[in-house]
Amino acid sequence: MTTITASDRFSVLPYLHRRMTSHGRRMGFNCKSRTAFASWKRNLITRLKEITGFNTMLKSSLQPRITETVTLKGYKRERIEIQVEPGIIMTLYALVPTSHSAGKGPYPVMLCPHGHASGGKYSPAGRSDIPQIRKQIKEYNYDYGVQFCKAGFIALCPDARGFGERVEPSVHRWLNKDLLTHSCLFINQMAYPLGQTVTGMWAWDLHRLIDYAETRPDCDTSRLGCAGLSGGGLQTLWATALDDRNRIKAAVVSGYFYGYRESLLDKHHHCSCNYVPHLYELADMGDLGALIAPRPLLIETGDADPLNGESGVSNVKSQVRITRSAYRLFRAEKQLIHDIFHGGHQWHGKIAVPWISEKLSATTPA
């Protein structure tokens, strides 16, 4: 019997490192004026929408349905369905403040997309009555939708495609109906040959969620933000970067801001939702952050988060520097906050919640 032994000498990774150096970041931020920035932003957003398939998505009537309302301490939770593309339904929770201190509204709005190991919307929406979700909330401080709601926001907590109620049924059955199952890989494998990506779908769906918020009289969408952990940080970063109408006024990206080479090329075993064809040729993550300037942006980084890459926080700071240079162009350095906290891959929130409450004039929590 012949045994094959893997050898570093035959790895393709060093070659791809060299290719990334020679072909990477061709549309990276390097602007010296606001006029140049406007042109760069327009051109990069156009290309990003092309490579993600965002520009292939089809608008449809939202056809919103509230299917359940549950009264909880200080807020009510609505289960809602909206149509984001023809025949494509997003399921979500709306957490609506009801405490006396929150006032009568309309309320500022926070989109609260989830990451992996969340059960979809269940973790950000604080479904601690479900044992699996209670464990995730405790481990990752995952109920940031509830945290924002208690700070005076209507928190919209959606299921991303491939999660929660939107997990692909065949995958759900295959993985024994595990609540924490996701089907990013399988959706991407279906979508890539058709010119689409999970990243594009997720960004599109959050933009449609803003469309829905604009129809609700209790939502003040002139004060709308977006915040998410991990895959929710991915969704927040992309949705805000591609928001050329600036409807997302402020954003919190938690556990998802680092150089692509160390954190995704080297760590290529991560979920396929992180990978977009041709992305590294165009930009690094700091360039996506630069597209958000000068809107308020807070980046959360756990100093022990393994997703930071081999060089740790230094890999994150390399990208924050790129983003900060765009904010400097607008003399808006104070609008960009980097919260480095002691901890791993989790939502921090101690600075983010009061900070974004101040930016969007919500009730600041005690």
Side-chain angles (χ1 to χ4, degrees):
M1 181 176 179
T2 302
T3 301
I4 297 176
T5 303
S7 169
D8 289 344
R9 192 161 70 92
F10 305 128
S11 171
V12 74
L13 183 59
Y15 163 77
L16 292 176
H17 267 270
R18 294 193 298 273
R19 180 168 177 81
M20 191 170 188
T21 298
S22 61
H23 289 73
R25 202 170 167 248
R26 291 182 171 180
M27 295 185 71
F29 176 79
N30 188 28
C31 301
K32 305 302 181 184
S33 70
R34 297 182 190 180
T35 301
F37 176 88
S39 177
W40 168 80
K41 178 176 179 176
R42 182 173 57 253
N43 291 335
L44 182 55
I45 286 178
T46 297
R47 285 291 289 125
L48 294 176
K49 287 183 175 180
E50 289 172 354
I51 65 174
T52 59
F54 183 98
N55 60 359
T56 68
M57 310 286 169
L58 301 175
K59 270 204 171 184
S60 62
S61 59
L62 291 166
Q63 300 179 15
R65 285 198 319 134
I66 298 176
T67 64
E68 177 188 67
T69 301
V70 178
T71 300
L72 299 160
K73 187 176 181 180
Y75 65 98
K76 64 179 179 180
R77 184 183 69 225
E78 301 172 347
R79 183 194 174 277
I80 302 164
E81 297 178 2
I82 63 173
Q83 182 177 232
V84 292
E85 286 195 89
I88 302 295
I89 307 301
M90 169 191 278
T91 47
L92 68 131
Y93 282 140
L95 310 182
V96 183
T98 57
S99 66
H100 177 72
S101 61
K104 296 182 179 179
Y107 304 101
V109 182
M110 283 301 298
L111 312 184
C112 299
H114 59 80
H116 297 79
S118 61
K121 63 185 177 295
Y122 293 128
S123 288
R127 287 296 305 272
S128 57
D129 54 305
I130 303 171
Q132 270 185 293
I133 300 302
R134 182 167 61 249
K135 179 177 179 293
Q136 301 309 99
I137 290 172
K138 182 178 180 180
E139 182 172 353
Y140 298 104
N141 189 25
Y142 224 142
D143 61 349
Y144 44 84
V146 176
Q147 295 172 30
F148 280 113
C149 183
K150 290 183 175 179
F153 291 87
I154 285 184
L156 300 179
C157 306
D159 280 327
R161 299 193 201 192
F163 286 84
E165 294 185 76
R166 302 179 77 190
V167 71
E168 287 299 304
S170 60
V171 176
H172 198 214
R173 290 190 296 269
W174 179 42
L175 296 176
N176 299 318
K177 301 183 179 179
D178 184 350
L179 180 60
L180 304 183
T181 293
H182 62 87
S183 46
C184 307
L185 170 65
F186 307 96
I187 295 176
N188 257 343
Q189 289 180 167
M190 291 186 279
Y192 280 163
L194 292 168
Q196 296 187 335
T197 64
V198 163
T199 295
M201 293 173 180
W202 287 354
W204 171 272
D205 285 2
L206 288 181
H207 285 204
R208 294 309 325 269
L209 186 55
I210 298 172
D211 293 342
Y212 168 66
E214 290 175 339
T215 71
R216 289 184 60 124
D218 56 357
C219 287
D220 179 0
T221 53
S222 70
R223 298 182 290 157
L224 183 144
C226 188
L229 166 67
S230 191
L234 180 160
Q235 294 182 64
T236 297
L237 178 62
W238 277 91
T240 309
L242 297 184
D243 177 24
D244 47 12
R245 295 168 57 190
N246 291 348
R247 294 192 295 171
I248 300 174
K249 308 300 183 186
V252 179
V253 176
S254 179
Y256 195 84
F257 207 88
Y258 31 65
Y260 284 135
R261 183 192 298 264
E262 285 189 29
S263 292
L264 291 179
L265 178 59
D266 289 349
K267 294 180 177 290
H268 40 267
H269 55 275
H270 284 319
C271 182
S272 72
C273 61
N274 292 283
Y275 299 95
V276 174
H278 301 289
L279 176 58
Y280 303 164
E281 296 173 293
L282 301 178
D284 213 323
M285 202 174 287
D287 302 306
L288 300 189
L291 290 171
I292 298 171
R295 288 172 286 169
L297 172 63
L298 189 147
I299 297 163
E300 285 191 348
T301 301
D303 60 5
D305 188 340
L307 271 65
N308 292 337
E310 185 177 355
S311 64
V313 173
S314 295
N315 188 41
V316 180
K317 288 182 176 180
S318 71
Q319 300 307 303
V320 175
R321 282 195 295 272
I322 295 171
T323 300
R324 196 174 299 283
S325 62
Y327 279 78
R328 191 176 299 117
L329 189 64
F330 287 91
R331 298 180 181 176
E333 294 97 323
K334 292 183 179 179
Q335 299 288 64
L336 174 63
I337 304 293
H338 189 195
D339 173 22
I340 304 173
F341 63 93
H342 182 58
H345 189 64
Q346 63 190 90
W347 170 262
H348 189 221
K350 291 183 179 179
I351 293 175
V353 175
W355 176 83
I356 210 163
S357 296
E358 177 186 350
K359 294 298 179 184
L360 298 179
S361 302
T363 303
T364 303

